[in-house]
Amino acid sequence: MRADLKPRPQPSTAPASLLLAMATAVGMATAPNPVSALQLVEARDGVSVEAMVSIKEPTRIRIDGAPITDVFGNIYSSNCANGTPPPNNSQNSPAINPTGELVLECDKDKGEVYIRPVGKSSKPINLFVSSAQATYTLLLHRSDTPADTIVIRDPSTKLLKPDSANPGPVL
C-alpha cells in the first residue's frame, strides 16, 4: 500500500435512530419556517386581493417599490391628511367616524400605513390603497394573529420600469 493513500472510511457504527435524529434536525433547521410575519400579495390595479389583518395588533401595509399616496375605506379615525374622516362638531376631540371599521395611521416618510380594526364585526374590510401608478383593492379578513405586514407586489409595474441594463433602441 502506498503511503500517500488514505485508508477507506469505515461504515458508521452509530445507531440508526441517532442518524435519523440528526438528519431530522438538519432538515428542520434548513426547512422554511411555516409561520411568517409577512403576507406577500400579488395585485394589479382594479383587481381585488385577499389578506389577513390582526384584530388586536397593528398591521403594516406597504407597496413593493412605491410609496402609498392615499388610502380609502370606511375609516374610524386617522392621523393621515388625506384619509381623515369629516370632523364632528367638537373642536377638542379627534375626528371620529362612529361607523368606521379601522384606525389608520400613516408613516409618510416611509410611504406605508398601519391599520387596526375596531369593533367586534366579523365581516371583511374593504380598503383601497393607492400609489402614483395604481390603486389596489384589499379584502381584509380579521384574524386573531400577531402583528403582521402586508406587502403589495404588482408584477405589471415591473414591465413599466425601464431596464437600466438594456435601455432599448436609440432613435
Side-chain angles (χ1 to χ4, degrees), residues 76-79 84-98:
Y76 176 79
S77 68
S78 170
N79 74 341
T84 306
N88 58 16
N89 294 333
S90 172
Q91 296 279 348
N92 298 329
S93 63
I96 300 290
N97 172 6

Side-chain angles (χ1 to χ4, degrees), residues 41-59:
V41 293
E42 298 279 330
R44 290 189 325 267
D45 191 2
V47 177
S48 293
V49 293
E50 296 184 358
M52 302 301 289
V53 61
S54 174
I55 59 174
K56 296 178 184 172
E57 308 281 338
T59 299

Side-chain angles (χ1 to χ4, degrees), residues 12-165:
S12 174
T13 56
S17 60
L18 178 61
L19 293 175
L20 179 59
M22 289 172 46
T24 302
V26 168
M28 289 176 64
T30 60
N33 187 356
V35 177
S36 175
L38 180 73
Q39 298 177 62
L40 180 62
V41 293
E42 298 279 330
R44 290 189 325 267
D45 191 2
V47 177
S48 293
V49 293
E50 296 184 358
M52 302 301 289
V53 61
S54 174
I55 59 174
K56 296 178 184 172
E57 308 281 338
T59 299
R60 179 173 76 153
I61 301 175
R62 68 180 186 87
I63 299 173
D64 188 31
I68 293 175
T69 58
D70 216 346
V71 178
F72 301 96
N74 193 5
I75 298 170
Y76 176 79
S77 68
S78 170
N79 74 341
C80 308
N82 292 345
T84 306
N88 58 16
N89 294 333
S90 172
Q91 296 279 348
N92 298 329
S93 63
I96 300 290
N97 172 6
T99 61
E101 298 176 296
L102 59 89
V103 173
L104 172 68
E105 295 184 24
C106 295
D107 184 339
K108 294 178 184 179
D109 293 335
K110 292 183 180 177
E112 55 192 33
V113 298
Y114 297 83
I115 62 170
R116 188 178 41 82
V118 294
K120 302 280 185 204
S121 177
S122 61
K123 86 175 198 57
I125 299 169
N126 293 303
L127 195 64
F128 300 93
V129 179
S130 296
S131 71
Q133 293 81 27
T135 298
Y136 305 101
T137 306
L138 299 178
L139 182 60
L140 302 170
H141 298 279
R142 301 167 196 245
S143 176
D144 191 5
T145 57
D148 202 353
T149 298
I150 299 169
V151 178
I152 301 168
R153 181 176 290 162
D154 187 346
S156 65
T157 59
K158 297 199 185 321
L159 300 175
L160 301 175
K161 292 181 182 175
D163 185 1
S164 60

